[in-house]
C-alpha cells in the first residue's frame, strides 16, 4: 500500500485537502501521481479491501486537486484517473425516484471490474 493511500485511510473520515495531496503529489498537476493513486484505489475496491464510500470520497478529493492543477489553457485530465473517477461518480446517484435501484452495484462495480481487467489490477 502506498504512503498516500495509508495517509488517506488514517485521515478518514476527514476529507483530504489540496495541501494533503501536495505532500504526496509534489505538484497539483502531477498526472502520474493521480493515475497511480486511482489505480491503487480501484484495485483496493475491486478486491474488497476498501469501501465504496472511502474510495468515492478520496476520488472526489483528488478530482478537486486535479482541477486546481489545471494550467492556463491546459485542462487535460489524466487517464486512467478520470475513468476511475467516473466509475465511482456514477455510483453516487439513484436513477429511480423511489431509490429502489443500486447505482453502485449497477454501474460502479461493473466499471471497476472492467478497469481491473484492462489494467490487470
Amino acid at each position: 500500500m502506498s504512503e498516500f493511500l495509508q495517509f488517506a485511510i488514517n485521515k478518514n473520515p476527514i476529507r483530504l485537502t489540496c495541501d494533503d495531496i501536495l505532500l504526496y503529489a509534489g505538484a497539483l498537476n502531477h498526472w502520474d501521481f493521480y493515475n497511480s493513486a486511482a489505480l491503487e484505489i480501484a484495485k483496493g475496491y475491486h478486491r474488497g479491501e476498501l469501501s465504496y464510500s472511502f474510495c468515492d470520497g478520496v476520488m472526489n478529493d483528488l478530482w478537486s486537486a486535479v482541477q486546481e492543477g489545471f494550467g492556463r489553457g491546459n485542462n487535460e485530465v489524466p487517464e486512467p484517473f478520470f475513468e476511475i473517477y467516473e466509475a465511482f461518480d456514477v455510483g453516487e446517484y439513484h436513477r429511480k425516484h423511489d431509490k429502489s435501484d443500486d447505482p453502485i452495484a449497477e454501474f460502479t462495480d461493473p466499471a471497476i471490474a472492467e478497469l481491473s481487467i484492462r489494467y490487470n489490477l
Side-chain angles (χ1 to χ4, degrees), residues 27-41:
L28 291 179
N29 63 352
H30 186 192
W31 294 163
D32 289 340
F33 165 78
Y34 294 107
N35 287 330
S36 63
L39 287 166
E40 186 176 21
I41 290 164

Side-chain angles (χ1 to χ4, degrees), residues 53-86:
S53 61
F54 170 79
C55 294
D56 183 53
V58 173
M59 290 304 297
N60 284 331
D61 295 341
L62 289 170
W63 175 245
S64 293
V66 163
Q67 290 177 314
E68 289 292 321
F70 285 160
R72 185 175 180 177
N74 183 11
N75 297 338
E76 293 181 31
V77 179
E79 289 291 351
F81 168 83
F82 190 63
E83 285 181 284
I84 295 167
Y85 165 78
E86 285 187 317

Side-chain angles (χ1 to χ4, degrees), residues 1-9 24 33 36-37 40:
M1 180 178 304
S2 71
E3 287 182 40
F4 169 74
L5 190 55
Q6 189 60 56
F7 174 80
I9 289 168
Y24 295 92
F33 165 78
S36 63
E40 186 176 21

Side-chain angles (χ1 to χ4, degrees), residues 41-50 55 88 109 112-114 116-117 121:
I41 290 164
K43 179 180 178 179
Y45 178 76
H46 184 66
R47 292 181 174 184
E49 298 164 354
L50 301 172
C55 294
F88 286 106
D109 292 349
I112 294 296
E114 189 274 324
S116 294
I117 291 168
L121 300 179

